[in-house]
Amino acid sequence: MPLSKHWRDLDRETVARAPDRIGVYELGDDEGTVLAVESGVLADELKTALAYGDGERVRWEATGSRDRAAELVADHRERLES
């Protein structure tokens, strides 16, 4: 199941709003197709994604732990592979 968040443009303004918390995020293209599902400290991860041009859009969900983030990533990746 995709994250239940709205897509945002992956730009400096959006990255500046990203929380400094562990979470899971999806990178997408202009049409909203998911290109990648990753986890980590959201502010740091999105800075890197922006710098490398890994996607046009992003959505994220902060989690309480790395374990929870890893569970969500596994669920989302399984969905993408189906």
Side-chain angles (χ1 to χ4, degrees):
M1 120 179 97
L3 294 176
S4 60
K5 307 288 183 177
H6 294 289
W7 285 109
R8 301 173 189 209
D9 291 334
L10 181 57
D11 57 22
R12 288 179 161 208
E13 184 177 329
T14 298
V15 170
R17 292 184 198 165
D20 195 25
R21 295 180 56 201
I22 299 289
V24 61
Y25 64 96
E26 293 180 332
L27 297 171
D29 64 15
D30 280 333
E31 296 174 5
T33 301
V34 176
L35 303 173
V37 180
E38 302 292 341
S39 66
V41 177
L42 293 167
D44 296 340
E45 293 287 326
L46 297 184
K47 285 177 192 172
T48 300
L50 178 62
Y52 284 99
D54 292 339
E56 298 297 320
R57 306 177 105 199
V58 64
R59 57 186 172 193
W60 67 77
E61 182 175 323
T63 61
S65 69
R66 287 192 187 276
D67 289 340
R68 179 64 182 140
E71 288 173 15
L72 288 172
V73 167
D75 289 346
H76 292 311
R77 285 186 180 157
E78 183 177 299
R79 171 186 49 87
L80 290 175
E81 294 172 0
S82 318

